[in-house]
Amino acid sequence: IVQGAGGMRFYHPSVLRKVRELCDEYDVLLILDEIATGFGRTGTMFASWQNESTYQPWYLTEGSSYSIINSDDKKVSTNEIVNADILCLGKALTGGYMTLGATLTTDKVATGISHNGGVFMHGPTFMANPLACSVSLASMNLLTSSPWEERVRNVENALIEHISPLSELDSVREVRVLGAIGVCELKEGLDRDGMARIQRALVEEGVWLRPFGKLLYTMPPFNCDELEDEHIKKIGDAMYKVVSSTPRA
């Protein structure tokens, strides 16, 4: 659903379902990386839970705005969830407070690993760190007991409002938003010095973002509208100021 740092591209849930079908047909394991997208980032608890009714990205490509508008019924049906054979989780697993990752597998994969007394030799020193696991449980309880879906929609609407002006700039190819993910894609990539220069300029504006090649993206916390009304506006304004003052190659 979201490519990640390789391009921050969004693709339709039907593509993921087709990949699942192909994996089943050719007996290939499907590995889904939900480290960045898991726990609500795209608007559903996991990106692989997106379907035709929930998937509504917004794009502004060189002045032309469009979005995929589907049914008003944004419910996730268990029949439409794409299940991975191996699922990678992290980041929001602890709310970002401590380092913790998790790899989940189906019974079939787990049995394949442990068959005939086999052992998956993954025993780093701090695996299943008790403090990190406790933080994760607390974070999950906070998330599931909060109005996180509404918060993500609020972040999404604020991102659309405050980063859409970037599309007016000649150097910008496209601005796109899905859930609490906002992306500005430039027409030309930046070299290492250019990325460092943009990052320093953003820090001077009080915003910490990481430019990556042609991409400048933001993934704000879900409750940022409650922390400060102008939080996302500040991000959008800083992105606009810095990109507009960056000379094209």
Side-chain angles (χ1 to χ4, degrees), residues 190-202 211 242 246-247:
L190 298 168
D191 58 20
R192 182 174 297 180
D193 290 340
M195 288 188 285
R197 185 170 57 251
I198 282 185
Q199 191 165 43
R200 287 194 299 270
L202 286 166
V242 170
T246 299

Side-chain angles (χ1 to χ4, degrees), residues 7-35:
M8 296 299 290
R9 298 178 180 90
F10 308 150
Y11 54 93
H12 198 273
S14 60
V15 176
L16 189 57
R17 285 200 297 274
K18 185 62 178 178
V19 172
R20 175 72 273 180
E21 292 172 8
L22 289 170
C23 287
D24 291 340
E25 181 179 351
Y26 292 99
D27 195 24
V28 174
L29 295 178
L30 176 60
I31 303 174
L32 295 182
D33 179 355
E34 292 263 17
I35 292 173

